[in-house]
Amino acid sequence: MPISKIIDVAVIADQKAYNVDGGDAVVGFNDRDLNTEIFDPDGIVSISSNQFTLNAGTYIIEFSSVAFRTNRMFTQLYDVTNSASAGQGMVAYNSNGDNVQGASTGYAHVTLTASTTYKIRTYCQNAKTVNGLGVQTSIAGSNSIYTQVKITKVG
């Protein structure tokens, strides 16, 4: 008889109102806002000051963010506790001369022996004020989501 494994899942995000842009992008790494728990029924993650903390365990972390007119960009999962990259997303290119918003998605598998804090960073080759970290939806009743993190606890 197969054995079922209970898996805990949470999703957190940078979620702003429909008419709010993602913010200024500077050259280099940009710390992303993390301000909303989309769902976390088992309480596996906590958010504070745009960072999230996980307790000991094994996790698969999926992360993504967008950037607008910044040329090359990619997303990074950064381990604040240990001052190191924990994963990198795909590279995207969104020319600063075109009206293109690029997205980068990455994955990491981590086994933690103690509580660990992370943040999401987006590397941008070029600066873009106001909406470099994402262009608003401009549709009333819809949120503007610029960064998402899906956390799956597997052990």
Side-chain angles (χ1 to χ4, degrees), residues 74-138:
F74 66 87
T75 301
Q76 180 187 64
L77 174 66
Y78 187 79
D79 180 338
V80 175
T81 302
N82 298 297
S83 302
S85 174
Q88 180 180 317
M90 297 181 298
V91 174
Y93 185 81
N94 46 29
S95 172
N96 67 351
D98 297 324
N99 288 322
V100 176
Q101 180 162 285
S104 172
T105 301
Y107 306 90
H109 179 262
V110 297
T111 299
L112 309 176
T113 57
S115 179
T116 304
T117 299
Y118 294 95
K119 65 182 174 180
I120 303 297
R121 307 191 312 177
T122 300
Y123 178 86
C124 297
Q125 184 180 23
N126 285 343
K128 172 76 171 75
T129 59
V130 180
N131 56 9
L133 296 181
V135 177
Q136 62 182 271
T137 63
S138 294

Coordinates of all heavy atoms in Angstrom, one line a residue, residues 74-138:
F74 N 18.0 39.0 -13.7 CA 17.7 37.7 -13.1 C 17.4 37.8 -11.7 O 17.7 38.8 -11.0 CB 18.9 36.7 -13.3 CG 20.1 37.0 -12.6 CD1 20.3 36.6 -11.3 CD2 21.2 37.8 -13.2 CE1 21.5 36.9 -10.6 CE2 22.3 38.1 -12.5 CZ 22.5 37.6 -11.2
T75 N 16.7 36.8 -11.2 CA 16.2 36.8 -9.8 C 17.1 35.9 -9.0 O 17.6 34.9 -9.5 CB 14.8 36.3 -9.7 OG1 14.0 37.2 -10.5 CG2 14.3 36.3 -8.3
Q76 N 17.4 36.3 -7.7 CA 18.2 35.5 -6.8 C 17.5 35.3 -5.5 O 16.9 36.2 -4.9 CB 19.5 36.2 -6.6 CG 20.5 35.5 -5.7 CD 21.7 36.3 -5.4 OE1 21.6 37.3 -4.7 NE2 22.9 35.9 -5.8
L77 N 17.6 34.0 -5.0 CA 17.2 33.7 -3.6 C 18.5 33.9 -2.8 O 19.5 33.2 -3.0 CB 16.7 32.3 -3.5 CG 16.4 31.8 -2.1 CD1 15.2 32.5 -1.5 CD2 16.1 30.3 -2.2
Y78 N 18.4 34.9 -1.8 CA 19.6 35.2 -1.0 C 19.4 34.8 0.4 O 18.4 35.1 1.0 CB 19.9 36.7 -1.1 CG 21.2 37.1 -0.5 CD1 22.4 36.9 -1.1 CD2 21.2 37.6 0.8 CE1 23.6 37.2 -0.5 CE2 22.4 37.9 1.4 CZ 23.6 37.7 0.7 OH 24.8 38.0 1.3
D79 N 20.3 34.0 0.9 CA 20.3 33.5 2.3 C 20.9 34.6 3.2 O 22.1 34.8 3.2 CB 21.1 32.2 2.4 CG 21.2 31.6 3.8 OD1 21.0 32.4 4.8 OD2 21.5 30.4 3.9
V80 N 20.1 35.4 3.9 CA 20.5 36.5 4.7 C 21.3 36.0 5.9 O 22.3 36.5 6.3 CB 19.3 37.3 5.2 CG1 19.7 38.4 6.2 CG2 18.6 37.9 4.0
T81 N 20.8 34.9 6.5 CA 21.5 34.3 7.7 C 22.9 33.9 7.5 O 23.8 34.2 8.3 CB 20.7 33.0 8.2 OG1 19.3 33.4 8.4 CG2 21.3 32.4 9.4
N82 N 23.2 33.4 6.3 CA 24.6 32.9 6.0 C 25.3 33.7 4.9 O 26.3 33.4 4.5 CB 24.5 31.4 5.5 CG 24.0 30.5 6.6 OD1 24.6 30.4 7.7 ND2 22.8 29.9 6.4
S83 N 24.7 34.9 4.6 CA 25.3 35.8 3.6 C 25.8 35.1 2.3 O 26.9 35.2 1.9 CB 26.5 36.6 4.2 OG 26.0 37.3 5.4
A84 N 24.8 34.4 1.7 CA 25.2 33.7 0.4 C 24.0 33.5 -0.5 O 22.9 33.4 0.0 CB 25.8 32.3 0.8
S85 N 24.3 33.4 -1.8 CA 23.2 33.1 -2.7 C 22.8 31.6 -2.4 O 23.6 30.7 -2.2 CB 23.7 33.2 -4.1 OG 22.8 32.7 -5.1
A86 N 21.5 31.4 -2.5 CA 20.9 30.1 -2.3 C 20.3 29.5 -3.6 O 19.9 28.4 -3.6 CB 19.9 30.1 -1.2
G87 N 20.2 30.4 -4.6 CA 19.6 30.0 -5.9 C 19.5 31.1 -6.8 O 19.4 32.3 -6.4
Q88 N 19.6 30.8 -8.1 CA 19.5 31.9 -9.1 C 18.5 31.5 -10.2 O 18.4 30.3 -10.6 CB 20.9 32.1 -9.8 CG 20.8 33.2 -10.9 CD 22.1 33.4 -11.6 OE1 23.1 33.4 -10.9 NE2 22.1 33.6 -12.9
G89 N 17.7 32.5 -10.6 CA 16.7 32.3 -11.6 C 17.3 32.4 -13.0 O 18.5 32.8 -13.2
M90 N 16.5 32.1 -14.0 CA 16.9 32.3 -15.4 C 17.2 33.8 -15.7 O 16.5 34.7 -15.2 CB 15.7 31.8 -16.3 CG 15.4 30.3 -16.2 SD 14.1 29.8 -17.3 CE 12.8 30.8 -16.8
V91 N 18.0 34.0 -16.7 CA 18.3 35.3 -17.1 C 17.3 35.7 -18.2 O 16.9 34.9 -19.0 CB 19.7 35.3 -17.8 CG1 20.0 36.7 -18.4 CG2 20.8 35.0 -16.8
A92 N 16.8 36.9 -18.1 CA 15.9 37.5 -19.1 C 16.5 38.8 -19.6 O 17.3 39.4 -19.0 CB 14.5 37.7 -18.4
Y93 N 16.0 39.2 -20.8 CA 16.5 40.4 -21.4 C 15.3 41.2 -21.8 O 14.4 40.8 -22.6 CB 17.4 40.1 -22.6 CG 18.0 41.4 -23.2 CD1 19.1 41.9 -22.6 CD2 17.4 42.0 -24.3 CE1 19.6 43.1 -23.2 CE2 17.9 43.1 -24.8 CZ 19.1 43.7 -24.3 OH 19.6 44.8 -24.8
N94 N 15.2 42.4 -21.3 CA 14.1 43.4 -21.6 C 14.7 44.7 -22.0 O 15.0 45.5 -21.1 CB 13.1 43.5 -20.5 CG 13.7 43.6 -19.2 OD1 14.8 44.2 -19.0 ND2 13.1 43.2 -18.1
S95 N 14.9 45.0 -23.3 CA 15.7 46.1 -23.7 C 15.2 47.4 -23.1 O 14.0 47.6 -23.0 CB 15.5 46.2 -25.3 OG 16.1 47.4 -25.7
N96 N 16.1 48.3 -22.7 CA 15.7 49.5 -22.1 C 15.2 50.5 -23.2 O 14.7 51.6 -22.9 CB 16.8 50.2 -21.3 CG 18.0 50.6 -22.2 OD1 18.1 50.3 -23.3 ND2 18.9 51.3 -21.6
G97 N 15.2 50.1 -24.4 CA 14.7 50.9 -25.5 C 13.3 50.5 -25.9 O 12.6 51.1 -26.7
D98 N 12.8 49.3 -25.4 CA 11.5 48.8 -25.8 C 10.6 48.8 -24.5 O 11.1 48.7 -23.4 CB 11.6 47.4 -26.4 CG 12.4 47.4 -27.7 OD1 12.3 48.4 -28.4 OD2 13.2 46.4 -27.9
N99 N 9.3 48.7 -24.8 CA 8.4 48.6 -23.6 C 8.1 47.1 -23.3 O 7.1 46.5 -23.6 CB 7.1 49.3 -23.9 CG 7.2 50.8 -23.9 OD1 8.0 51.3 -23.0 ND2 6.6 51.5 -24.8
V100 N 9.2 46.4 -22.8 CA 9.1 45.0 -22.5 C 9.4 44.8 -21.0 O 10.4 45.3 -20.5 CB 10.2 44.3 -23.4 CG1 10.2 42.8 -23.0 CG2 9.9 44.4 -24.8
Q101 N 8.6 43.9 -20.4 CA 8.8 43.5 -19.0 C 9.2 42.1 -19.1 O 8.5 41.2 -19.6 CB 7.5 43.7 -18.2 CG 7.7 43.3 -16.8 CD 6.6 43.8 -15.9 OE1 6.6 45.0 -15.6 NE2 5.6 43.0 -15.5
G102 N 10.4 41.8 -18.5 CA 10.9 40.4 -18.4 C 10.6 39.8 -17.1 O 10.4 40.5 -16.1
A103 N 10.6 38.4 -17.0 CA 10.4 37.7 -15.8 C 11.5 36.6 -15.7 O 12.0 36.1 -16.6 CB 9.1 37.0 -15.8
S104 N 12.0 36.5 -14.5 CA 13.0 35.4 -14.1 C 12.4 34.5 -13.0 O 11.9 35.0 -12.0 CB 14.3 36.1 -13.6 OG 15.2 35.2 -13.1
T105 N 12.5 33.2 -13.3 CA 12.0 32.2 -12.3 C 13.2 31.3 -11.9 O 14.0 30.9 -12.8 CB 10.9 31.4 -12.9 OG1 9.8 32.3 -13.3 CG2 10.4 30.4 -11.9
G106 N 13.3 31.0 -10.7 CA 14.3 30.1 -10.2 C 13.8 29.1 -9.2 O 12.7 29.2 -8.6
Y107 N 14.6 28.1 -8.9 CA 14.3 27.0 -7.9 C 15.5 26.7 -7.1 O 16.6 26.8 -7.5 CB 13.9 25.8 -8.7 CG 12.8 26.0 -9.7 CD1 13.1 26.3 -11.0 CD2 11.5 25.9 -9.4 CE1 12.1 26.6 -12.0 CE2 10.4 26.1 -10.3 CZ 10.8 26.5 -11.6 OH 9.8 26.7 -12.5
A108 N 15.2 26.4 -5.8 CA 16.2 25.9 -4.9 C 15.7 24.8 -4.0 O 14.5 24.8 -3.7 CB 16.7 27.1 -4.0
H109 N 16.6 23.9 -3.7 CA 16.3 22.8 -2.7 C 17.2 23.1 -1.5 O 18.4 23.1 -1.7 CB 16.5 21.5 -3.4 CG 16.3 20.3 -2.5 ND1 17.3 19.7 -1.8 CD2 15.1 19.7 -2.2 CE1 16.8 18.7 -1.1 NE2 15.5 18.7 -1.3
V110 N 16.7 23.3 -0.4 CA 17.5 23.6 0.8 C 17.1 22.7 2.0 O 15.9 22.4 2.2 CB 17.4 25.1 1.3 CG1 17.9 26.0 0.2 CG2 16.0 25.4 1.6
T111 N 18.1 22.2 2.7 CA 17.9 21.5 4.0 C 18.4 22.4 5.1 O 19.7 22.7 5.1 CB 18.5 20.1 3.9 OG1 17.9 19.4 2.9 CG2 18.3 19.4 5.2
L112 N 17.6 22.8 6.0 CA 18.0 23.7 7.1 C 18.1 23.0 8.4 O 17.1 22.2 8.7 CB 17.0 24.8 7.2 CG 16.6 25.6 5.9 CD1 15.6 26.6 6.1 CD2 17.9 26.2 5.2
T113 N 19.1 23.2 9.1 CA 19.2 22.6 10.5 C 18.8 23.6 11.6 O 18.7 23.3 12.7 CB 20.7 22.2 10.7 OG1 21.6 23.3 10.6 CG2 21.1 21.1 9.8
A114 N 18.6 24.9 11.2 CA 18.2 25.9 12.1 C 17.4 26.9 11.3 O 17.4 27.0 10.1 CB 19.4 26.6 12.7
S115 N 16.7 27.8 12.0 CA 15.9 28.8 11.4 C 16.8 29.7 10.5 O 17.9 30.1 10.9 CB 15.3 29.7 12.5 OG 14.5 30.8 12.0
T116 N 16.3 30.0 9.3 CA 17.1 30.7 8.3 C 16.2 31.7 7.6 O 15.1 31.5 7.3 CB 17.6 29.7 7.2 OG1 18.4 28.7 7.9 CG2 18.5 30.4 6.2
T117 N 16.8 32.9 7.4 CA 16.1 34.0 6.8 C 16.6 34.3 5.4 O 17.8 34.2 5.1 CB 16.3 35.3 7.6 OG1 15.8 35.1 8.9 CG2 15.6 36.5 7.0
Y118 N 15.7 34.5 4.5 CA 16.0 34.7 3.0 C 15.3 36.0 2.6 O 14.4 36.6 3.2 CB 15.4 33.6 2.2 CG 16.0 32.3 2.4 CD1 15.4 31.4 3.3 CD2 17.1 31.9 1.8 CE1 16.0 30.1 3.6 CE2 17.7 30.6 2.0 CZ 17.1 29.8 2.9 OH 17.7 28.5 3.1
K119 N 15.9 36.5 1.4 CA 15.2 37.6 0.7 C 15.3 37.3 -0.8 O 16.2 36.5 -1.2 CB 15.8 39.0 1.1 CG 17.3 39.2 0.7 CD 17.8 40.5 1.1 CE 19.2 40.7 0.9 NZ 19.7 42.1 1.3
I120 N 14.5 38.0 -1.6 CA 14.6 37.9 -3.0 C 15.2 39.1 -3.6 O 14.9 40.3 -3.2 CB 13.2 37.7 -3.6 CG1 12.5 36.5 -3.0 CG2 13.3 37.6 -5.2 CD1 13.2 35.1 -3.3
R121 N 16.2 38.9 -4.5 CA 16.9 40.1 -5.1 C 16.7 39.9 -6.6 O 16.7 38.8 -7.1 CB 18.3 40.1 -4.7 CG 18.6 40.1 -3.3 CD 20.0 40.4 -2.8 NE 21.1 39.7 -3.5 CZ 22.4 40.0 -3.3 NH1 22.7 40.8 -2.4 NH2 23.3 39.3 -4.0
T122 N 16.6 41.0 -7.3 CA 16.6 41.1 -8.8 C 17.8 41.9 -9.2 O 18.0 43.0 -8.8 CB 15.3 41.7 -9.3 OG1 14.2 40.9 -8.9 CG2 15.4 41.7 -10.8
Y123 N 18.7 41.2 -10.0 CA 19.8 41.9 -10.6 C 19.3 42.6 -11.9 O 18.7 42.0 -12.8 CB 20.9 41.0 -11.0 CG 22.1 41.7 -11.6 CD1 23.1 42.3 -10.9 CD2 22.1 41.8 -13.0 CE1 24.1 43.0 -11.5 CE2 23.2 42.5 -13.6 CZ 24.1 43.1 -12.8 OH 25.1 43.8 -13.4
C124 N 19.6 43.9 -12.0 CA 19.3 44.7 -13.2 C 20.5 45.3 -13.8 O 21.4 45.9 -13.1 CB 18.3 45.8 -12.9 SG 16.7 45.2 -12.3
Q125 N 20.7 45.2 -15.1 CA 21.9 45.7 -15.8 C 21.8 47.2 -15.9 O 22.7 48.0 -15.9 CB 22.0 45.1 -17.2 CG 23.2 45.6 -17.9 CD 23.4 44.9 -19.3 OE1 22.4 44.5 -19.9 NE2 24.6 44.9 -19.8
N126 N 20.5 47.8 -16.1 CA 20.3 49.2 -16.3 C 19.3 49.7 -15.2 O 18.4 48.9 -14.8 CB 19.7 49.5 -17.7 CG 20.8 49.5 -18.7 OD1 22.0 49.5 -18.5 ND2 20.4 49.4 -20.0
A127 N 19.4 50.9 -14.9 CA 18.5 51.5 -13.9 C 17.2 52.0 -14.7 O 17.3 52.3 -15.8 CB 19.1 52.7 -13.2
K128 N 16.1 52.0 -14.0 CA 14.8 52.5 -14.5 C 14.0 52.9 -13.3 O 13.6 52.2 -12.5 CB 14.1 51.4 -15.3 CG 12.7 51.7 -15.8 CD 12.7 52.7 -17.0 CE 11.4 52.9 -17.6 NZ 10.5 53.7 -16.9
T129 N 13.7 54.2 -13.3 CA 12.9 54.8 -12.2 C 11.4 54.4 -12.3 O 10.9 54.1 -13.4 CB 13.1 56.3 -12.1 OG1 12.6 56.9 -13.3 CG2 14.5 56.7 -11.8
V130 N 10.7 54.5 -11.2 CA 9.3 54.4 -11.0 C 8.8 52.9 -11.2 O 8.3 52.3 -10.3 CB 8.5 55.3 -11.9 CG1 7.0 55.2 -11.7 CG2 8.9 56.8 -11.7
N131 N 9.0 52.4 -12.4 CA 8.5 51.1 -12.7 C 9.5 50.0 -13.2 O 9.1 49.0 -13.8 CB 7.3 51.2 -13.7 CG 7.8 51.9 -15.0 OD1 9.0 52.1 -15.2 ND2 6.8 52.2 -15.9
G132 N 10.8 50.3 -12.9 CA 11.8 49.3 -13.3 C 11.6 47.9 -12.7 O 12.0 46.9 -13.2
L133 N 11.0 47.9 -11.5 CA 10.7 46.6 -10.8 C 9.3 46.1 -11.1 O 8.8 45.2 -10.4 CB 11.0 46.8 -9.3 CG 12.5 47.1 -9.0 CD1 12.6 47.2 -7.4 CD2 13.4 46.0 -9.5
G134 N 8.7 46.6 -12.1 CA 7.4 46.1 -12.6 C 6.4 47.2 -12.9 O 6.4 48.2 -12.2
V135 N 5.6 47.0 -13.9 CA 4.6 47.9 -14.4 C 3.3 47.5 -13.8 O 2.9 46.3 -13.9 CB 4.6 47.9 -15.9 CG1 3.5 48.8 -16.4 CG2 5.9 48.3 -16.5
Q136 N 2.5 48.4 -13.3 CA 1.2 48.2 -12.7 C 0.2 47.6 -13.7 O 0.3 47.8 -14.9 CB 0.7 49.5 -12.1 CG 0.4 50.5 -13.2 CD -0.1 51.8 -12.7 OE1 -1.3 52.0 -12.6 NE2 0.8 52.7 -12.4
T137 N -0.8 46.9 -13.1 CA -1.8 46.3 -14.0 C -2.8 47.4 -14.5 O -3.3 47.2 -15.6 CB -2.7 45.3 -13.2 OG1 -3.4 46.0 -12.1 CG2 -1.9 44.2 -12.6
S138 N -3.0 48.4 -13.8 CA -4.0 49.5 -14.2 C -5.4 49.0 -14.4 O -6.2 49.7 -15.0 CB -3.5 50.2 -15.4 OG -2.3 50.9 -15.2

